[in-house]
Amino acid sequence: MPAVAQVLPLVTARGMPGALDYLDESLAPVGTVVQIDLGGRSVGGIVVGRLTESQWPVEKLKPVEEVEERSTTPELVELAQWMADDVASTTARALALVAPPAGKAKQRLWVRLADGLDPTTLTTEPAGPEVASDGDSAGRKTPKLSDAQRELIASLTESGPRAAGDELGRWRTLEKRGLVVVEVADERRRPAAHAVGASAKRVPPQTAEQTAALARINQVAEQPDGGALLLHGVTGSGKTEVYLRAAQATLDRGRTVLVLVPEIGLAPQIVHRFRERFGDVVAVMHSGLSAGQRRDEWWRVRSGEATIVVGARSAVFAPLDDVGLVVVDEEHDASFKAGEDPRYDARRVAAWRARHNHALLLCGSATPRPESLAALEVVRMTQRVDGRAMPPVEVVNMRGQSTPLHPTTREALVDARKSIVLLNRRGWSNFLECRECGHAWGCPNCDVTLVLHKRRGTMDCHHCGHVERVPSFCPACSSVSIAQHGIGTERLESELTQLGLPVMRVDADVSDPGEILARFGAAERAVLVGTQLVAKGHDFPDVELGVVLDADSTLRFPDLRAEERTFQLVTQLAGRAGRGGDGHGRVIVQTTNPQHGAIVAAANHDADGFLHEELARRKQFGYPPYSTLVKILVAHHDQVTARDLAREIAAPLAAARIGEVLGPAPLFRLKGKEREQILVKSPNRAAAVKAVRAALAPIEGKASRLRAQLVVDVAPQ
Ligand code: ADP
Ligand code: ZN
Ligand code: ZN
């Protein structure tokens, strides 16, 4: 009977065939990376199935060229196959996300004492073991060790094996005499860690709410099929402590733990707390790791050395075995959704893994998504651990105000010892205009204005990365009078500095946000200015004031989640103010829309009220979770081509009767491409995805010939 491996080639082009049969006598298990001959070309592939018989005659089958030593788990292979369908991608692209990283362990020369040596005899007296040279006339072998050599050996007895480093030559001399062994061994590349915020080393006694939450969590975790819970707890209610305890209980059951957090490089706190509590069994996975660090962490997980993974979006593909608990912290965060094909949602993948392993899915947030509230059993924590009330939120009306800071805000900032100011716009000013002729500086590739970055001396497009020098005169009329409209974090930083405040800024323009957050945490007096990064899951107990400038910026966004985002932003920031000390917490929200439902609900700390209203609104308009949206984007440098292609896709979709088909509708030009969008709104996700694939299939060849770009995004954010 032939041994047949079904191998999926890791070739990313669309329209590739599925798995192909190859002969493999080594019986490489599902998940193994192999090299195969594909039409005369040697390519990598992953074994996705094993057969004892192929549908093809044996003599037609080629043998696999090479079986590599690396493999991923069968669970992740199955996951990738499911995901490819779920998000309308290809299996090869999905498999690439779960494949074991290439590359080798970093190796180093290590020195240890030779076996059977008694170091004390070496370092105290001049008699030693068998040494070839230096024998005296009587034939007794005496190593003549210099003081420096003696010291080196003493250092080995103290520290244990150590890296040879700069002393390699001297170690080699000792090795020749049989005293030490110099050998090659792996060195682990550890992810860097910032120690930020509170310590979790000492396990605190539980609050009553934590006890109740954990009782339910453990109950569900021990059900034969697992289950799913939503931990809806206000900021500071001790959710992280609940995760830590639930993780411990999971390890005690002999199972493993997966913890997903948004953009970890920016919120290092939770990693720190897990590491502190559990030590080296915690592996860290996020996009900030070097390839080497990522590889080493992956293998620590794959080998079973690490049993807890804390990481951002892609950590959902960690090769853990027998996951018992999957935590999604800050489950409302948009960064869980991937921005590139495969456009998966890590929360959905996390739910798959929990179901597959009969594990507990535990989603936590102070501002959960309406979707989660509708779908999951809710466990509530309504009190802060420190027993203090949520800070009062003042909404100040900016209508008719000409300065970016309302006088109330300015005064509060000067008074507060430590504050956080949120402004969702990077740069100095977001719109330059000629005072004489009205010329506006726009991006040559996109229909957007350029943002002035004063310190760098550049005008940047935040959509395509186009950069140009700051103009000194108008190219249209040569006037030198140029107005700067709008305010970004850079200008705000400068204005606050002029008020004499010690300002720190965190946004995508600073190189190490984690380091700045750590400095802010340690500072006596400081203002932290930044984009929404500053409202994310870190815990600074002594912040007295939180300010949201321009709360309307998220509301202005034409998106079904505009309300939700605004509510979340204000609530998250409120959660970070007045958490410790004597509790003089205070929050100020600047808006031109003080009556807006999302802002009023946030000011009243009324998450339940907001969520129920939001769900009712979604239901009324048939938005998620009452439907699935599929977005199809066609991009081409020529508008007519883009529109014609989009129409060709939309026509069969409309005929497929899977729900509503909106568009094609033009979007603003981006990266030199005209864009047309089609939106499908369907009560049946699988049917919608299938219909979209069917509508795209006959167009794909033509689109690629025309060099048009097709993007499918299932359940876009
Ligand atoms: P959340 O994740 O809900 O914002 P955390 O778990 O970060 O809340 O808890 C907020 C603070 O309270 C942290 O400094 C944490 O160490 C501390 N904490 C949590 N639970 C307890 C407890 N039971 N007793 C004392 N302190 C606690
Ligand atoms: Zn001009
Ligand atoms: Zn641009």
Side-chain angles (χ1 to χ4, degrees), residues 443 445-446 448 461 463-466 671:
C443 174
N445 311 316
C446 316
V448 297
C461 172
H463 288 87
C464 72
H466 169 86
K671 301 182 187 178

Side-chain angles (χ1 to χ4, degrees), residues 54 69 80 88 96 203 209 235 324 334 381 432 443 461 506 531 598 638 643:
S54 172
E69 262 175 54
V203 182
E209 283 190 332
T235 310
M381 299 210 295
L432 261 64
C443 174
C461 172
V506 168
T531 51
D638 175 56
R643 201 183 48 217

Side-chain angles (χ1 to χ4, degrees), residues 218 221 245-257 323-325:
N218 286 322
R245 289 201 184 239
Q248 183 64 60
T250 309
L251 293 188
D252 292 346
R253 287 182 207 112
R255 309 188 76 190
T256 63
V257 179
V323 175
L325 172 68

Side-chain angles (χ1 to χ4, degrees), residues 198 204-207 210 234 236-241 273 385 539 579:
Q206 298 173 32
T207 64
Q210 285 173 329
V234 298
S237 59
K239 293 187 292 298
T240 309
E241 185 56 39
R273 286 174 71 179
V385 171
D539 172 25
R579 294 179 66 168

Side-chain angles (χ1 to χ4, degrees), residues 434 437 439 474 476-477:
C434 170
C437 76
H439 171 82
C474 172
C477 75

Side-chain angles (χ1 to χ4, degrees), residues 283-304:
V284 180
M285 293 182 159
H286 57 86
S287 56
L289 300 188
S290 69
Q293 289 169 337
R294 188 183 127 69
R295 184 209 160 274
D296 289 0
E297 290 295 87
W298 198 94
W299 283 107
R300 287 205 319 122
V301 178
R302 179 74 174 104
S303 68

